[in-house]
Amino acid sequence: TTDSFQETQIMAHTMDAGAGGYDRQVGMGEAVKLFFSNYINFEGRSNRGEYWWAFLAIILISFVLGIIDGMLGIMVLGAIFSLATLIPGIAIGVRRLHDIDKSGWWLLISFMPFGGLVLLVFMFIDGTPGENEYGPSPKDTFTADTLA
């Protein structure tokens, strides 16, 4: 009876969580932390929140560094930051593609005419619910232990 109550609670939470049954959300701080802690991790998956929050943070930091570089009359800080974020930027792009069940090699489509537009559409697609060939969903953090 206790088990059936827990199962009912899990099902209710899953149904409320959305179509995929998951509801993990990533904020900007956590996304930036994951961006740099997975510096050269090309395996696994990254959800939309993790990708777009990290993308926004990198754009904002680049903008601020560009202003500082302009005030100092040198273009060093922005260049160093761009080099420092190049590999993790590719890595998070690969993990984001893995989340929609696509190979990381799809990043190369950006070198084709209109390929960047196709890649942009891919980055907005919601991830595959549950586990796919690249691992478990980064949003799926709800377990029976959560209710205990």
Side-chain angles (χ1 to χ4, degrees):
T1 57
T2 312
D3 291 333
S4 65
F5 175 73
Q6 273 191 327
E7 289 174 17
T8 304
Q9 291 296 325
I10 291 170
M11 288 176 59
H13 178 81
T14 303
M15 289 168 37
D16 290 341
Y22 42 72
D23 61 356
R24 179 172 184 252
Q25 294 190 6
V26 178
M28 184 182 282
E30 185 181 0
V32 171
K33 181 179 160 188
L34 289 168
F35 178 80
F36 285 110
S37 66
N38 289 311
Y39 194 83
I40 54 172
N41 181 11
F42 291 87
E43 296 178 359
R45 298 165 62 175
S46 293
N47 65 23
R48 284 185 298 183
E50 181 182 339
Y51 178 82
W52 286 110
W53 280 119
F55 183 84
L56 178 63
I58 298 307
I59 294 297
L60 292 174
I61 292 169
S62 296
F63 182 74
V64 169
L65 290 175
I67 291 172
I68 293 171
D69 277 347
M71 290 177 9
L72 297 175
I74 56 172
M75 298 298 157
V76 175
L77 298 176
I80 292 171
F81 184 72
S82 293
L83 287 174
T85 57
L86 177 65
I87 300 297
I90 295 170
I92 198 170
V94 167
R95 291 192 314 271
R96 178 70 197 112
L97 286 168
H98 287 175
D99 193 38
I100 61 168
D101 217 6
K102 300 240 180 274
S103 168
W105 291 105
W106 274 94
L107 278 178
L108 296 177
I109 199 171
S110 63
F111 294 113
M112 302 294 292
F114 303 106
L117 186 60
V118 172
L119 198 58
L120 182 65
V121 170
F122 282 169
M123 296 305 174
F124 279 108
I125 295 173
D126 197 14
T128 307
E131 193 165 330
N132 68 16
E133 70 176 288
Y134 301 103
S137 172
K139 291 194 216 177
D140 197 5
T141 59
F142 183 76
T143 63
D145 296 333
T146 308
L147 296 174

